[in-house]
Every structure is written in C-alpha cells, then in structure tokens.
Amino acid sequence: MSDQLTRENMIMALAQKKLPRSILESVAKRERSPLGEGIINSLGKMNDRALMTLYKALIKGEQDEKGNYLTYRSSLWLSRELKTSEIKLTYNEPLVGELKIVVFLEGEISVVADCITSRVTSSDAEGFLSKLKLLKGKHAHLSRSFIFSSAGYDDDLAEQLNKMEGMGLNGTYTPAKKGRFSGLLGGGSSEVTIELYEETEGKKMAKVYP
C-alpha cells in the first residue's frame, strides 16, 4: 500500500467503528501484525494486510472464503447490541470445541454465537444445540445464543427447530440435564434463548427467528 493518504483514510474510517480489542487481536494474529495500545495506535502499527482485512470486512462489507469477515462484523454488531467489550473470537472451549464468538460475564460464558456463510440447515442447528447443551452444563451464566448467516436459512428451518428436543416455540432452549455436567453451576436458569439473524445486502443484521 504505497499511498499514505489511503492508509490514513482507512485508519480514520475504522477508528470511528470503536472496535473491541478482540477484533483487532484476531486480525493481527491471522496476519502476523503488531498492535499498540488503544484503537488509533493499534491501527497505525498494523501491517498493510491486517489493515486492509479490517477495511474490507468492516467498511466495504466484503465476503471472504473462510468466513472471517462475517465473524468480524457479527462480533462488532454483538458488542454494540450487548454493550460489552468482554468478547472473544475463535474461542476453544474444552470438551466442546471451537466457538466463533463468546461473551463473558464474571469469568463464565454468558453468550455464544456461530457465524455461517453457507445456507443454514437443520443439521447446522442441531450441531449448535449440542454445543449449547455442553456449554450450559459448564457455564450457568449462559443465557443467550445467536446464529449469524450471510447466505440465509432453509425455508422450513424455524419449523424444524421448534420440533427439536428441548426447544420451545419462543426460541427458548432447555437442555436435558444428563451426563457429566448435569449440575448447573450456581443454580442459574436452565434456559438459553436462541436468535437467528441474516446479514442483508446492506450489511445489516435482520432477525429471522423467533
């Protein structure tokens, strides 16, 4: 990137987004880029690849093959929606696996989200519920969950989701208390709400369920 003005313009445009630190860290790790303290300083220290990745994902709203851009946009939307910066991207939870986005409360996972760039099927939803079941047994504060899609959902997904074990008609999932993690920590609520959002062409998040 030879045009210094272009780089400065990108930095200023991204700075206005007030990005959570976790998004900067995720991009910097993937692109092997340095970071600084604070948003402006970090953006200024980023290499050209990292800066361009952020710009394409968050300013231009482009897609990428691995779906990382959707994860960055979903994380930014979620941090604003929940008014929190306690958010992590690509988080590995023992005995559960990789989670695209998690939000913490008092050291426990309180919100989890998946980001899917292909059309979401009932199989995707079942896989998500199986992770919620394991997570809820380990993290009593877990109360909300999201699936973000950039390619839409099967037409009958809501109907199929409502038929799945533990699902209520209002998007509330109550996992059966079985197995190793059957005792909920702290005696919290056993319910987890599930919300599905589709990213529109204007890069807005439109709720499609419940």
Side-chain angles (χ1 to χ4, degrees):
M1 194 184 307
S2 59
D3 190 342
Q4 185 65 24
L5 179 62
T6 299
R7 181 177 170 91
E8 290 176 355
N9 285 344
M10 286 195 294
I11 289 173
M12 294 308 297
L14 288 165
Q16 294 177 14
K17 294 289 186 179
K18 299 181 180 179
L19 308 178
R21 178 77 180 182
S22 56
I23 296 179
L24 299 175
E25 291 174 344
S26 179
V27 174
K29 182 178 180 179
R30 291 182 185 278
E31 302 297 344
R32 300 181 180 180
S33 173
L35 280 180
E37 294 295 329
I39 295 177
I40 294 291
N41 193 26
S42 291
L43 292 171
K45 287 182 177 294
M46 276 186 160
N47 61 36
D48 288 349
R49 291 192 310 275
L51 192 62
M52 182 59 74
T53 292
L54 278 172
Y55 189 78
K56 287 181 176 180
L58 302 178
I59 304 300
K60 298 187 71 176
E62 295 184 6
Q63 303 288 357
D64 65 318
E65 291 184 359
K66 295 183 178 180
N68 294 323
Y69 289 7
L70 176 63
T71 299
Y72 300 147
R73 289 193 292 270
S74 300
S75 299
L76 180 58
W77 182 90
L78 202 56
S79 70
R80 291 173 173 174
E81 180 75 9
L82 302 179
K83 297 180 174 60
T84 182
S85 61
E86 297 299 314
I87 192 167
K88 297 290 185 183
L89 283 65
T90 315
Y91 182 82
N92 282 293
E93 174 72 6
L95 303 179
V96 178
E98 183 179 288
L99 306 169
K100 291 292 180 65
I101 307 171
V102 295
V103 177
F104 288 90
L105 174 66
E106 298 178 0
E108 288 189 32
I109 294 175
S110 63
V111 177
V112 62
D114 198 3
C115 303
I116 301 176
T117 54
S118 58
R119 194 167 181 84
V120 180
T121 67
S122 59
S123 178
D124 294 319
E126 287 177 340
F128 189 63
L129 290 183
S130 68
K131 287 188 175 183
L132 286 184
K133 182 176 181 179
L134 290 173
L135 282 169
K136 186 59 179 177
K138 300 175 68 178
H139 299 273
H141 286 307
L142 178 62
S143 60
R144 296 182 73 182
S145 65
F146 298 80
I147 297 178
F148 297 100
S149 172
S150 59
Y153 298 81
D154 279 356
D155 294 338
D156 64 343
L157 181 61
E159 180 182 352
Q160 294 299 320
L161 187 58
N162 287 336
K163 293 178 180 178
M164 294 179 188
E165 183 180 2
M167 280 298 303
L169 296 178
N170 59 348
T172 300
Y173 175 56
T174 307
K177 298 180 181 180
K178 297 179 180 178
R180 183 177 176 183
F181 302 112
S182 59
L184 293 177
L185 302 177
S189 170
S190 60
E191 297 180 348
V192 183
T193 61
I194 299 176
E195 301 174 41
L196 309 185
Y197 283 81
E198 181 177 0
E199 187 179 59
T200 65
E201 291 185 3
K203 303 310 171 188
K204 304 292 184 181
M205 293 299 181
K207 189 174 185 179
V208 299
Y209 178 90

